[in-house]
Amino acid sequence: MAGETPPAQPPPGPPPRPLLWRWRHNPLRRRTDTLHAWIGLGALIAVLAVAPVAAVLVGDAARRHYEDTARHQNLTRYETTGTLTEDAPRHPEPGSDEERKTRYPAEVRVVTREGRTRTMRTEVRPGLTADNTVRLWITADGEATDPPLSAEEVRSRTMGWSLLAAIGVALTGAAAHALAGLALRRRNLADWDTAWAETAPRWTTPT
């Protein structure tokens, strides 16, 4: 219709630009471009500063937790000998590497420290027959359980939590930068609409 201002058409997505283009002086650079660059630099510095600290703090907390867990397990668990009361299943590939790593649940009879005879299920090598003896860990209550955490397991879990903490900080910084970029893009579009509303009437001719 005559006299109507056509809707603003935002510019297409930004073409590939050289590295650090937001820092270079040029007539097309907007204040939001410079602001976005400073936000990105600040996020990078923050991540580089905070990630190592977070990794150390989280790793130290995880190490103390798992060391306490290992000490408690060593106090409340002990290794003993059990006797199979049934044949363990045979592996379909005897002599293979997989057979050496595979364990099957089987019923064993154990005499606890208190002299009580208990029957329980535990993981054993495939192919063992009844009356064979196996080593297993049991709790103070006489239940089969896993061995206490080893020093290597404590180190591995500690390193895992440290790495997760560092990655978490990096992802948080990236998310903050992305959200800032989205907010600045919306601001640019709003400014574009305002500028177009002022300019478009000069380009329209009444009919």
Side-chain angles (χ1 to χ4, degrees), residues 4 29 60 64-65 93 121 161 172 181 186 197-198:
E4 284 190 356
R29 188 184 66 178
D60 183 63
R64 287 187 279 106
H65 167 73
E93 300 179 10
R121 299 189 72 79
W161 279 106
T172 300
R186 289 180 176 176
E198 296 174 355

Side-chain angles (χ1 to χ4, degrees), residues 88-100 102-104 126-127:
R90 294 186 176 276
H91 194 273
E93 300 179 10
S96 64
D97 290 338
E98 184 180 355
E99 183 197 32
R100 285 191 286 271
T102 302
R103 295 294 181 269
Y104 289 114

Side-chain angles (χ1 to χ4, degrees), residues 30-109:
R30 299 161 295 190
R31 285 181 297 176
T32 52
D33 294 331
T34 304
L35 179 59
H36 196 200
W38 280 109
I39 292 175
L41 179 61
L44 177 61
I45 294 174
V47 167
L48 293 177
V50 174
V53 176
V56 170
L57 293 177
V58 172
D60 183 63
R63 177 186 56 78
R64 287 187 279 106
H65 167 73
Y66 288 119
E67 286 179 348
D68 289 343
T69 300
R71 280 193 293 268
H72 176 73
Q73 290 175 343
N74 275 300
L75 292 174
T76 58
R77 302 177 183 185
Y78 63 94
E79 192 177 20
T80 188
T81 300
T83 303
L84 281 166
T85 62
E86 61 182 3
D87 294 344
R90 294 186 176 276
H91 194 273
E93 300 179 10
S96 64
D97 290 338
E98 184 180 355
E99 183 197 32
R100 285 191 286 271
K101 299 176 183 177
T102 302
R103 295 294 181 269
Y104 289 114
E107 191 173 85
V108 296
R109 183 173 60 253

Side-chain angles (χ1 to χ4, degrees), residues 96-160:
S96 64
D97 290 338
E98 184 180 355
E99 183 197 32
R100 285 191 286 271
K101 299 176 183 177
T102 302
R103 295 294 181 269
Y104 289 114
E107 191 173 85
V108 296
R109 183 173 60 253
V110 175
V111 178
T112 66
R113 287 176 174 175
E114 294 77 20
R116 293 179 299 169
T117 300
R118 297 286 304 272
T119 300
M120 60 193 71
R121 299 189 72 79
T122 189
E123 301 285 330
V124 301
R125 298 196 313 274
L128 288 179
T129 57
D131 294 330
N132 270 279
T133 58
V134 295
R135 299 291 292 175
L136 72 156
W137 286 84
I138 63 175
T139 65
D141 297 329
E143 300 294 335
T145 188
D146 295 324
L149 291 174
S150 65
E152 179 61 32
E153 288 174 322
V154 171
R155 284 193 298 271
S156 176
R157 297 186 183 192
T158 297
M159 291 178 61

Side-chain angles (χ1 to χ4, degrees), residues 148-201:
L149 291 174
S150 65
E152 179 61 32
E153 288 174 322
V154 171
R155 284 193 298 271
S156 176
R157 297 186 183 192
T158 297
M159 291 178 61
W161 279 106
S162 296
L163 181 60
L164 285 176
I167 292 174
V169 171
L171 291 178
T172 300
H177 183 252
L179 289 174
L182 180 61
L184 292 174
R185 176 167 174 78
R186 289 180 176 176
R187 178 179 171 180
N188 289 337
L189 291 177
D191 291 344
W192 178 271
D193 286 337
T194 301
W196 180 252
E198 296 174 355
T199 305

